[in-house]
Amino acid sequence: MSDENSLKKALSDWEKGPVAKTINRFPEREEEFKTISGIPVKRLYTPLDTQTVDYLQDLGFPGQYPFTRGVQPTMYRGRFWTMRQYSGFATAKETNERFRFLLDQGQTGLSVAFDLPTQIGYDSDNPMSHGEVGKVGVAIDSLADMEVLFDGIPLNKVSTSMTINAPAAVLLAMYIAVAEKQGVPMEKLRGTIQNDILKEYVARGTYIFPPKPSMRLITDIFKFCSENMPLWNTISISGYHIREAGSTAVQELAFTLANGIAYVKAAIEAGLDVDAFASRLSFFFGSHSDFLEEIAKFRAARRLWARIMRERFGARDDKSCRLRFHTQTAGCTLTAQQPDNNIVRVTLQALQAVLGGTNSLHTNSRDEALALPTEESVQIALRTQQIIAYETGVGDTIDPLAGSYYIESLTNEIEECVMKYIEKIDSMGGAPAAIENGYIQSEIHNSAYQFQTAVDAGQRIVVGVNKFIVPEERTIDYLRVDPHVEEEQVARLKKVRETRDNDRVQETLEALKAGAKGDENLVPLILDAVKAYATLGEICDVLRDVFGEYKSPDIL
Amino acid sequence: MNSSKKIRVLIAKPGLDGHDRGAKVVARALRDAGMEVIYTGLRQTPEMIVESALQEDVDCIGLSILSGAHMALFPRVMELLRKEGANDILVVGGGIIPEDDIPELKKAGIAEIFGPGTPLEDIVEYIRTHVKK
Amino acid sequence: MSIDDLVEAVLSGKRRALARVITLIENEDPKADKILSALYKHTGKAHVIGVTGPPGSGKSTIVTRMTAEFRRRSKTVGIICVDPSSPFTGGALLGDRIRMQEHTLDREVFVRSMGTRGHLGGLSRATSDAVRVIDAFGKDIIIVETVGTGQSEVDVVELAHTVIVTDVPGSGDDIQAIKAGIMEIADIFVVNKKDLPGADKKVTEINAMLDIDPNMGMWRPPVILTNANTGEGIPELVDKIEEHMRFLVETGLLKKKGLERSKEELEQLMKYKLTRELLMKLQGTPEYEEAIQKIAERIADPYTVAERLILDFLVKFRE
């Protein structure tokens, strides 16, 4: 840069001249500006801040390594991101109706929310399930429920994402079995299982088994899918819940990528070739309130993962280096106060995700800080995405903010901060060790506490919560799950147990037990049990018996 | 001489939901306000919560739930406390709890519900002034 | 509840009364001493086990597993988990129950979390009084878990028959900790997380140190490898705990320790009560404030003032 010195001088003149003069008369709002992650924000960014960027090495072209600008060559000029609203509640029948509604409204993918008993591998009649059946998602006890859930929905046409972790193999098996009944072979199925147990230990809490057997289940799925389900995303390595638990953007990326590293390592140790499975790994991030930091975060994520895969794991295939991700707007930024304001928050967060190059998106509904969303709220949320896609034109050119002095500099800084965390976690022995000693949990918790105390102290403004407050009656309409859902579901389950071939169930469960004790791939064994209508709880109990249950090393 | 008397609070997550950000943040705020906070972790049944509260002889129980199971689980906690003759313990709740449910929960004996956005100081102050000492 | 009612309720196994009495002890409530004195003759039956070690060595998990093993052997168990209170706010976050959930609904297990609170009588007094009430309540085994930093591990020795020191492989500094004093107090060493690299090395190191210990008595502390997450090594640990108790009984050490402890306790108690009485009389009186003022201004010296105040107190005390 021939004029570097003149630029430096001009900048300094500007700072000392007009800036100093203005500040003298009108001080700036803050002494120091920072992103939510605590990265200092300068008054102005100039070419001096992007001098180290080597265009070809650091940015490149969309669809090419290191994918900073996007994972596909044409991005949204070809096809918009997948609009995928997470939904599910009550029974399979009611959720099926909501799915059909969403598909009718122009949604392009399904995303299944399961209730907590399902996520933790309890049948609906387990005493631990009381009060939880059908509450935060749909209750699935056996293949019979899954058949109802996807009734009339052609599984060769939709892609389905399932938020299921500890018992992911069981739900995947049920999905395969339903598809088979529809005449759709598994190699044609498209979709995602979350299957990310490490973040359950640190942020979401729906774990069942200890880390070792959990990692085995995950690598069994990687292997099974690499042989049988080429279009299926075998895992969705999730930062979203880490973020919701209170982390900063930098921590969200660092801990998610550290978890990703642990899965790749485990799969390689289990004998898989990195290029055989890595292209089917997918990611899931939150889109929080710091607009520009979030955009930089998404861009940094792609570059970081590409480099990790190539440099650390020697992935040869470019596809193995692509970080494809789903985004959800941040639930924790929704306020119970003046809930309609949430529509605006969601709009901005959705726009961030699109400017950051997300591959699919869920927009939250305005009433989710209060209860489950109504159909009307869900529709507004979906419309928000459609307006961004069809009206604003932001998808007409790829990665439109690239080259912004600030965005590029922030992308670099996030990358650096994340690498520092990853190195620290490496030195502890990787993510599983850093989870076991409570490091990751306490980092997240400290950030959560700092954030809350900053809000309480008025240092961080949340509109309608600690500033611009109005007295209000909360009369918003919301969705209430019928308390009889639990009884109905338990009755259905009872009927399944009475009408199935119980000898066959026993037989398949015995085989699963033997397999779990040995080192056979468990997915085909689970598939047999599922087809015999063994329940989710029965299958998980067999595995609990062999693997034991995880006890949280929770450190406060 | 009772200089070392402390308010003891049990913070519990009934049900299966694993979102403990709020519970932990509140636990820490109460600690910083000089209280002794016993945190029981996830997946607590009402029976476990009441038993822990008795053994720890707490002055207050804070229940946090985001899954919507509060109508089944909160009143059950109150019922068990009454059965143990321990309904002098102050019980407060928090999480995603629709406004419409609050009257019924209060009727069941839950003293107060703190929804999203409640300043920590409000919770601390409420407990400080309402525990029976 | 009156003092008599509380005593009666503790002796008849009412766990809420037990919990309430421990609160009175923690609050240094004057009723506590009266209750303790009424309960005293019912104590001395439990086997008290101290568990201490650096943070992160899996103490709570070990205690949980030990409890399960004792329950299998039909023993009832009381557990006290002591965690530090914040020196600034006096508050405490007590999270040990998280790992002990499986015992919550077992009526034969009683778990109590305590903050250190900066008691006038020190941690040892509040904890050992709590142990005593649980003893009178009738638990066979009482486990006291404390973080092994600073004073607490020494306190644990005073109240426990058997002291277990936990450690994990790795981190070079804990050897220092061992050298610095935990070494002498252990009756049993546990090296937890045997699945981590360096576990065997750690066992060798501890054994080597024990081999050159000039003060080794008749009991040579065994070193046990465990994996508390899976339960490996726990039955062996409980075997050794029981063996240690038999050793104490057979060698007469239990009796000897009991005598020593009674003497120590009586002296501690006198010191504590005397100080408390003295300070209660003096604190807040104008003479006292004036004396402090004079000392600060170098008009009087603390040596003479202390002597005079104590003498005055003793003379009045006699009247």
Side-chain angles (χ1 to χ4, degrees):
Chain A
M1 212 183 274
S2 58
D3 53 354
E4 185 187 327
N5 284 332
S6 48
L7 180 53
K8 270 188 185 156
K9 184 176 178 303
L11 178 63
S12 152
D13 288 350
W14 175 71
E15 296 262 4
K16 285 184 198 141
V19 172
K21 211 170 129 196
T22 306
I23 288 178
N24 225 356
R25 288 167 52 207
F26 310 105
E28 291 180 321
R29 283 180 288 113
E30 313 272 340
E31 286 277 308
E32 202 181 11
F33 290 80
K34 280 181 175 173
T35 67
I36 289 185
S37 294
I39 298 172
V41 181
K42 293 200 282 189
R43 183 171 299 114
L44 190 77
Y45 289 78
T46 67
L48 293 168
D49 298 290
T50 53
Q51 282 180 57
T52 57
V53 176
D54 177 323
Y55 185 84
L56 288 177
Q57 284 230 330
D58 298 332
L59 301 176
F61 292 94
Q64 287 177 7
Y65 188 88
F67 302 104
T68 312
R69 305 203 61 183
V71 291
Q72 293 131 355
T74 60
M75 288 301 288
Y76 308 138
R77 287 168 67 99
R79 194 172 64 78
F80 288 122
W81 59 94
T82 305
M83 299 177 194
R84 196 193 293 279
Q85 299 295 94
Y86 182 54
S87 69
F89 58 95
T91 58
K93 192 165 169 296
E94 281 155 284
T95 302
N96 176 267
E97 283 161 17
R98 177 68 69 99
F99 282 173
R100 289 171 183 228
F101 166 80
L102 287 166
L103 292 171
D104 283 348
Q105 295 295 311
Q107 175 164 308
T108 48
L110 293 177
S111 175
V112 191
F114 296 101
D115 71 358
L116 287 164
T118 306
Q119 294 188 48
I120 303 177
Y122 293 130
D123 283 336
S124 296
D125 59 355
N126 187 301
M128 288 298 287
S129 305
H130 178 58
E132 303 277 13
V133 176
K135 281 280 160 39
V136 301
V138 57
I140 299 292
D141 290 315
S142 73
L143 180 56
D145 296 323
M146 204 71 159
E147 287 162 3
V148 175
L149 184 64
F150 292 105
D151 184 39
I153 298 170
L155 298 188
N156 54 343
K157 297 228 174 80
V158 295
S159 83
T160 304
S161 165
M162 291 189 270
T163 300
I164 194 75
N165 294 280
V170 185
L171 275 300
L172 175 64
M174 287 182 184
Y175 193 77
I176 295 170
V178 172
E180 206 174 285
K181 293 200 169 184
Q182 286 189 5
V184 181
M186 59 177 133
E187 57 269 22
K188 290 248 170 74
L189 293 176
R190 285 181 305 123
T192 308
I193 38 174
Q194 199 162 73
N195 200 22
D196 171 12
I197 198 66
L198 292 173
K199 66 95 176 50
E200 295 296 328
Y201 297 136
V202 298
R204 195 164 169 276
T206 68
Y207 42 75
I208 307 175
F209 316 112
K212 239 186 215 153
S214 295
M215 294 299 268
R216 172 198 170 178
L217 275 167
I218 291 168
T219 51
D220 279 359
I221 291 171
F222 286 3
K223 199 166 197 165
F224 179 87
C225 292
S226 74
E227 289 159 6
N228 301 291
M229 304 179 77
L231 305 177
W232 194 263
N233 296 318
T234 52
I235 193 167
S236 170
I237 306 164
S238 304
Y240 179 79
H241 314 94
I242 293 173
R243 191 64 184 277
E244 287 289 295
S247 81
T248 64
V250 164
Q251 289 170 335
E252 174 191 7
L253 259 199
F255 301 153
T256 308
L257 297 184
N259 288 347
I261 289 169
Y263 295 125
V264 173
K265 244 166 96 181
I268 291 172
E269 275 162 22
L272 286 163
D273 179 72
V274 65
D275 287 311
F277 68 89
S279 68
R280 299 318 304 172
L281 306 177
S282 66
F283 288 80
F284 173 20
F285 296 112
S287 189
H288 206 272
S289 42
D290 192 325
F291 195 86
L292 298 170
E293 183 177 48
E294 292 298 289
I295 296 170
K297 175 186 84 178
F298 297 127
R299 302 176 81 245
R302 280 191 295 269
R303 185 157 77 207
L304 275 157
W305 187 246
R307 288 179 173 162
I308 288 167
M309 291 309 290
R310 173 121 322 143
E311 289 163 18
R312 183 168 182 154
F313 293 112
R316 296 167 305 278
D317 189 347
D318 267 3
K319 282 189 181 153
S320 304
C321 304
R322 284 185 321 185
L323 179 140
R324 296 170 302 129
F325 68 100
H326 173 68
T327 305
Q328 179 168 342
T329 59
C332 64
T333 63
L334 299 177
T335 63
Q337 296 76 8
Q338 305 173 40
D340 284 345
N341 293 346
N342 291 326
I343 298 175
V344 182
R345 293 192 176 94
V346 167
T347 306
L348 290 167
Q349 294 166 4
L351 183 60
Q352 285 154 218
V354 170
L355 293 172
T358 194
N359 302 98
S360 66
L361 179 61
H362 165 106
T363 33
N364 288 328
S365 299
R366 60 182 164 173
D367 42 6
E368 286 182 72
L370 303 165
L372 284 175
T374 60
E375 215 156 77
E376 193 197 343
S377 304
V378 173
Q379 195 178 51
I380 296 173
L382 180 58
R383 294 289 179 256
T384 305
Q385 295 200 39
Q386 290 161 338
I387 290 168
I388 293 173
Y390 294 96
E391 296 185 7
T392 67
V394 292
D396 296 350
T397 183
I398 303 168
D399 190 23
L401 298 190
S404 144
Y405 307 125
Y406 180 48
I407 287 287
E408 293 302 352
S409 149
L410 188 55
T411 304
N412 287 347
E413 271 190 271
I414 290 175
E415 184 176 13
E416 266 168 48
C417 296
V418 168
M419 278 319 293
K420 265 187 211 137
Y421 260 121
I422 290 179
E423 277 157 24
K424 180 148 194 194
I425 291 167
D426 281 341
S427 76
M428 291 177 182
I435 291 167
E436 181 159 12
N437 70 25
Y439 170 73
I440 291 178
Q441 295 93 311
S442 68
E443 284 290 301
I444 296 172
H445 179 51
N446 285 337
S447 298
Y449 192 60
Q450 276 164 18
F451 190 89
Q452 186 60 46
T453 45
V455 170
D456 283 1
Q459 291 157 350
R460 187 171 288 286
I461 301 301
V462 182
V463 172
V465 172
N466 62 359
K467 206 169 184 159
F468 315 113
I469 304 166
V470 292
E472 55 185 323
E473 277 287 311
R474 273 177 225 149
T475 48
I476 194 163
D477 215 18
Y478 62 91
L479 182 88
R480 184 185 284 278
V481 176
D482 185 340
H484 298 299
V485 159
E486 186 163 330
E487 292 160 38
E488 283 166 33
Q489 185 62 21
V490 168
R492 275 174 58 76
L493 173 60
K494 193 162 168 253
K495 208 169 137 208
V496 168
R497 288 215 179 96
E498 282 164 6
T499 50
R500 65 186 183 183
D501 177 351
N502 276 306
D503 291 341
R504 177 70 191 138
V505 171
Q506 275 319 307
E507 209 178 298
T508 57
L509 291 178
E510 283 303 320
L512 175 61
K513 187 168 201 169
K517 284 180 179 161
D519 55 9
E520 210 175 325
N521 192 318
L522 295 178
V523 180
L525 296 170
I526 290 172
L527 189 54
D528 286 345
V530 159
K531 284 180 179 170
Y533 291 86
T535 67
L536 172 73
E538 289 162 349
I539 292 169
C540 289
D541 279 346
V542 165
L543 298 177
R544 277 190 187 96
D545 220 34
V546 180
F547 295 154
E549 285 187 73
Y550 179 71
K551 297 241 161 51
S552 165
D554 222 326
I555 288 158
L556 282 162
Chain B
M1 187 157 121
N2 276 333
S3 60
S4 53
K5 201 162 175 174
K6 295 267 175 248
I7 295 175
R8 286 170 66 85
V9 184
L10 185 88
I11 297 288
K13 291 272 315 161
L16 301 178
D17 118 65
H19 297 97
D20 56 1
R21 171 180 181 169
K24 284 180 170 174
V25 166
V26 169
R28 190 139 154 194
L30 297 177
R31 192 268 315 260
D32 288 350
M35 302 182 195
E36 281 183 353
V37 184
I38 295 108
Y39 182 61
T40 58
L42 304 180
R43 300 189 200 172
Q44 300 286 297
T45 62
E47 286 78 6
M48 291 162 89
I49 291 167
V50 169
E51 187 57 37
S52 296
L54 293 182
Q55 293 181 7
E56 298 289 355
D57 193 30
V58 294
D59 307 294
C60 173
I61 301 174
L63 301 171
S64 161
I65 200 162
L66 283 81
S67 70
H70 50 274
M71 294 308 270
L73 300 176
F74 283 10
R76 177 84 183 131
V77 170
M78 297 313 300
E79 186 189 320
L80 291 167
L81 282 173
R82 258 191 300 278
K83 231 164 86 188
E84 293 287 351
N87 39 343
D88 55 322
I89 299 175
L90 177 75
V91 183
V92 296
I96 307 273
I97 294 173
E99 203 91 341
D100 296 11
D101 290 346
I102 294 176
E104 201 177 322
L105 293 174
K106 286 199 170 167
K107 221 172 91 194
I110 307 288
E112 194 53 86
I113 298 287
F114 298 104
T118 310
L120 294 170
E121 188 50 40
D122 290 5
I123 300 173
V124 168
E125 222 18 67
Y126 184 89
I127 292 175
R128 199 175 267 149
T129 48
H130 287 78
V131 291
K132 294 175 185 91
K133 268 285 170 184
Chain C
M1 262 204 238
S2 73
I3 289 174
D4 289 346
D5 289 346
L6 272 173
V7 169
E8 182 50 42
V10 168
L11 291 174
S12 59
K14 299 274 189 306
R15 66 203 192 295
R16 201 168 181 219
L18 168 61
R20 183 53 51 86
V21 172
I22 296 176
T23 303
L24 295 175
I25 291 168
E26 289 196 288
N27 290 349
E28 303 185 311
D29 190 297
K31 275 186 259 174
D33 280 5
K34 299 203 172 78
I35 294 167
L36 283 161
S37 93
L39 290 175
Y40 190 77
K41 61 175 176 288
H42 301 280
T43 63
K45 295 166 296 191
H47 181 179
V48 183
I49 300 160
V51 178
T52 191
S57 57
K59 290 180 296 296
S60 298
T61 318
I62 293 171
V63 169
T64 307
R65 291 283 183 176
M66 273 167 58
T67 303
E69 183 62 27
F70 277 120
R71 294 292 299 123
R72 262 191 288 282
R73 299 180 190 197
S74 305
K75 295 274 174 43
T76 62
V77 183
I79 301 168
I80 296 175
C81 307
V82 185
D83 279 312
S85 301
S86 157
F88 306 108
T89 66
L93 258 183
L94 311 170
D96 294 293
R97 286 194 87 93
I98 298 173
R99 267 143 293 180
M100 300 183 182
Q101 284 180 23
E102 61 182 276
H103 301 300
T104 303
L105 294 180
D106 180 352
R107 283 294 168 91
E108 304 300 339
V109 177
F110 182 94
V111 183
R112 180 60 177 244
S113 316
M114 292 173 76
T116 49
R117 288 198 194 183
H119 285 282
L120 196 55
L123 160 72
S124 54
R125 192 174 126 77
T127 316
S128 81
D129 285 347
V131 165
R132 195 155 274 162
V133 189
I134 298 176
D135 186 352
F137 183 77
K139 294 292 183 220
D140 303 323
I141 303 289
I142 299 170
I143 305 172
V144 180
E145 179 198 327
T146 59
V147 176
T149 46
Q151 189 59 33
S152 53
E153 64 269 346
V154 183
D155 288 336
V156 107
V157 187
E158 285 174 17
L159 57 91
H161 300 113
T162 305
V163 175
I164 298 169
V165 172
T166 61
D167 208 343
V168 276
S171 97
D173 351 325
D174 30 60
I175 290 294
Q176 283 311 113
I178 286 174
K179 277 182 185 159
I182 302 193
M183 196 78 186
E184 293 87 64
I185 66 169
D187 297 305
I188 298 169
F189 282 98
V190 170
V191 175
N192 191 29
K193 305 190 183 174
K194 62 179 278 195
D195 51 324
L196 292 185
D200 291 325
K201 185 169 158 251
K202 173 125 287 176
V203 174
T204 314
E205 280 167 2
I206 296 174
N207 271 322
M209 254 180 281
L210 289 169
D211 287 340
I212 55 165
D213 182 359
N215 303 319
M216 181 68 65
M218 283 181 292
W219 174 264
R220 189 203 190 273
V223 185
I224 297 171
L225 263 175
T226 60
N227 182 346
N229 283 334
T230 61
E232 279 170 274
I234 300 296
E236 293 81 341
L237 171 60
V238 171
D239 285 345
K240 285 291 172 195
I241 293 170
E242 291 181 338
E243 192 183 317
H244 183 246
M245 187 36 116
R246 281 196 299 277
F247 165 83
L248 290 178
V249 173
E250 282 159 16
T251 53
L253 272 173
L254 187 68
K255 238 180 212 158
K256 195 168 154 240
K257 271 193 175 178
L259 267 177
E260 279 168 12
R261 232 199 117 199
S262 298
K263 172 171 176 277
E264 178 72 17
E265 190 174 15
L266 180 61
E267 287 174 1
Q268 285 276 351
L269 210 53
M270 290 191 297
K271 238 189 280 177
Y272 166 72
K273 287 199 172 256
L274 214 56
T275 315
R276 195 173 68 161
E277 290 291 320
L278 185 59
L279 288 179
M280 270 175 63
K281 270 229 166 71
L282 290 173
Q283 274 170 350
T285 64
E287 301 95 293
Y288 191 58
E289 301 305 324
E290 196 185 325
I292 294 169
Q293 191 71 32
K294 280 184 176 162
I295 294 170
E297 287 166 8
R298 300 297 184 277
I299 299 169
D301 70 276
Y303 311 96
T304 317
V305 174
E307 203 161 307
R308 178 172 55 82
L309 290 176
I310 292 169
L311 269 175
D312 283 359
F313 176 73
L314 288 175
V315 169
K316 270 187 206 145
F317 190 68
R318 207 172 291 156
E319 284 156 6

